[in-house]
Amino acid sequence: MDVVDSMLTEEEKWRFDLQGFMVLRQVIPSDALKQMLAVLEHWLAIDETQIPAPLVRHRQEPYKTHIDHIQYGHKLFQDLAANEHIIRAVAGLQMNAPRLFHCNFTHMTRGTGEDFDLHRDDSGFKFPSGFRNPHNDYQTAHGQIYCSHLVTWIALSPVPAGTGFTVVPGSHKSAFAAPDNFSGHSDPALAESIPLDPGDCVICATSVLHNAKPWTEDYPRLNIFQRYQLSAYFNETGKEGYPLEEHRDRISAEQYELESLSKETKAVVRRAQKRFSHQQLDDGERSTP
Ligand SMILES: O=C(O)CCC(=O)C(=O)O
Ligand SMILES: [Fe+2]
């Protein structure tokens, strides 16, 4: 197979390879951000029975309220999943073949005494020590990166330093298991929180040790959390995974394609390629194959 052309800049590749994450600043226009907040505040305020299916509002942990599958409830969140800045980076890390397979909103309030265990994401199947989970793969070759499983963490309220999404930079390459007593509390110097403004997006390999630090602010943490996986053959979410066939009429054909397994280049990727490939060539930032 030919080397797939990545839309990442050389600096982004360097940063991501070194740390396992990168930050895209201001990817959501402020009017879209305002509209998103209004829709989400409405879904937080209404009675649970009024939440439009297939959205689900639930509480998984103290202090956190989630609303799942928000892109089936409003086009704004389909536009976010297809956001060309996010798709440029995600596609650039996934052989131009990303599939959205998870999307939710989180409202988190201030709390103390929470565990702060750092983890790698999986779908419940733990590969024994010494084995690499192929669903969380990370490889580099020919000046390109392949990261099969990524999260995007998009801030909708300000995230100051010392709270919010937190990572152990570089841990996607660690060849050793962390000690049993290792947590963000036990080794705070290793766990770096990422300060964000509303509209900023963290893109992170799920093989990076990560979690969120307890929230410290008087206002709530508001963020959208999406996961993307290589589109060609992984489908970790099983029979309840995206796309949600029963609710197909609630999303666009393009969104349906973005959520589907496929070996074709998806419309959202083609659009990003059209917009960004030339720009980077002009900037001399992209290595030519
Ligand atoms: O945003 C957070 O609170 C962390 C979420 C997370 O790591 C996960 O859901 O796997
Ligand atoms: Fe996680």
Side-chain angles (χ1 to χ4, degrees), residues 53 59 76 86 91 96 136-137 173 182-183 238 272:
R59 195 165 274 223
L76 277 169
I86 298 176
N96 292 326
N136 298 62
D137 203 3
K173 292 190 192 172
F182 176 74
S183 79

Side-chain angles (χ1 to χ4, degrees), residues 222-264:
L222 306 172
N223 73 282
I224 292 170
F225 188 81
Q226 303 161 317
R227 290 196 172 94
Y228 292 87
Q229 203 169 31
L230 184 75
S231 180
Y233 48 80
F234 289 119
N235 191 0
E236 272 212 84
T237 44
K239 62 178 172 16
E240 286 175 11
Y242 291 163
L244 302 175
E245 285 296 342
E246 213 186 308
H247 303 280
R248 183 177 178 163
D249 59 331
R250 302 190 66 107
I251 56 172
S252 67
E254 206 174 276
Q255 177 74 19
Y256 182 83
E257 182 192 48
L258 179 58
E259 297 184 8
S260 298
L261 284 164
S262 168
K263 295 193 175 74
E264 304 300 317

Side-chain angles (χ1 to χ4, degrees), residues 119-121 151 165 206 210-211 225 227:
H119 64 267
R120 297 185 166 92
D121 292 351
V151 299
F165 193 68
T206 56
H210 68 275
N211 206 342
F225 188 81
R227 290 196 172 94

